[in-house]
Amino acid sequence: MGRGKIEIKKIENPTNRQVTYSKRRAGIMKKAGELTVLCDAQLSLVMFSSTGKFSEYCSPTTDTKSIYDRYQQVSGINLWSAQYEKMQNTLNHLKEINQNLRREIRQRMGEDLDGLEIKELRGLEQNMDEALKLVRNRKYHVISTQTDTYKKKLKNSQETHRNLLRELEAEHAVYYVDDDPNNYDGALALGNGSSYLYSYRTQPTQPNLQGMGFGSHDLRLA
C-alpha cells in the first residue's frame, strides 16, 4: 500500500508544527548537500522558523555573499540599495543633530550670535538663566551637605579629644592617705596641678580599716 497524500496546509498545533519543521529542515539540508556533490552546484539556503530560529546552508565551494552578488548581477536587483539609503538617511539625521548641538554650545558660550533674531536671543537668555539657577541650587546643596558633614566630624573630634584628656588625667593620678591619728579624714588628690580633689572616710563598722589610721566618717565628694 502506498502512502496517502498529505494535505498541504498550515499545521495549527504548535508542537506538531515545530516537529514537522525540524524533520523537513533536516531533509532539505540533506538534499542541498547531495545536490552540491552530485551536480557540482553552488547553493545558498536560508530558513527562519515560525519562532524566528535561523538556519542556513551554503555550498563548501562558495559563500553566501558571493551567491548574493551573483544573484544581483544576473537579476539586476540591488539587494542593498534600500538598506544603504536607510543608513544614509540615519547618518544625515545624526549629523544634523550634532551640528545643532555644537551651535547651541557655542551660543551658550557667547559665540555665533550674529544670525539670531530677538526672539531667539530671548529664548537663549531664558535657557541660560534657568541653567544658572539649577547650577546654583546644586552648589548650595553640596555646600550644605559638606558643612553638615564637617560639623559632625568636628563634634566627633572634640568628643574624642575630651575622652583622651580624661584618660590622660586618670593615668597621672596620685593617691595618698593621711595617717595622722588625730585626723580621721583620708584625702585623695590628683597631681600635676589638677583642680580635681576628692576625700573619703571609712565607716565605723570597718574595724580592719580603723587600725590603718582611717577615720570613721562617710565617703563623700569634696
Side-chain angles (χ1 to χ4, degrees), residues 21 25-26 28-29 45-49 53-56:
Y21 173 80
R25 177 190 60 189
I28 291 177
M29 293 292 185
L45 184 61
V46 177
M47 292 183 292
F48 289 93
S49 67
K53 186 177 180 180
F54 168 72
S55 301
E56 68 172 340

Side-chain angles (χ1 to χ4, degrees), residues 15-143:
T15 303
N16 295 339
R17 183 166 62 242
Q18 184 62 31
V19 171
T20 302
Y21 173 80
S22 299
K23 290 181 178 180
R24 299 210 173 204
R25 177 190 60 189
I28 291 177
M29 293 292 185
K30 182 179 179 181
K31 292 296 183 182
E34 292 175 354
L35 189 61
T36 299
V37 174
L38 295 175
C39 303
D40 194 22
Q42 293 183 339
L43 283 78
S44 177
L45 184 61
V46 177
M47 292 183 292
F48 289 93
S49 67
S50 59
T51 58
K53 186 177 180 180
F54 168 72
S55 301
E56 68 172 340
Y57 172 83
C58 186
S59 299
T61 57
T62 185
D63 55 65
T64 303
K65 184 179 182 303
S66 299
I67 294 292
Y68 290 164
D69 290 341
R70 290 181 61 183
Y71 172 78
Q72 291 183 106
Q73 294 174 0
V74 174
S75 64
I77 299 176
N78 191 343
L79 298 176
W80 317 115
S81 59
Q83 182 67 17
Y84 176 78
E85 183 179 358
K86 182 179 179 181
M87 293 174 61
Q88 192 67 32
N89 292 335
T90 302
L91 179 61
N92 294 334
H93 180 64
L94 293 176
K95 285 183 177 180
E96 182 180 358
I97 293 176
N98 183 53
Q99 292 176 357
N100 293 335
L101 290 175
R102 290 180 177 271
R103 182 171 60 252
E104 184 177 351
I105 292 174
R106 292 195 301 270
Q107 292 173 352
R108 287 178 178 269
M109 297 178 64
E111 304 174 0
D112 198 11
L113 302 177
D114 296 337
L116 297 181
E117 301 292 337
I118 183 66
K119 183 177 180 180
E120 294 174 331
L121 291 172
R122 287 178 178 175
L124 178 62
E125 181 182 13
Q126 183 178 0
N127 292 336
M128 295 182 67
D129 289 340
E130 294 177 354
L132 181 60
K133 291 179 181 178
L134 293 175
V135 172
R136 284 177 175 172
N137 291 335
R138 179 59 184 173
K139 182 185 70 174
Y140 295 147
H141 174 73
V142 172
I143 291 175

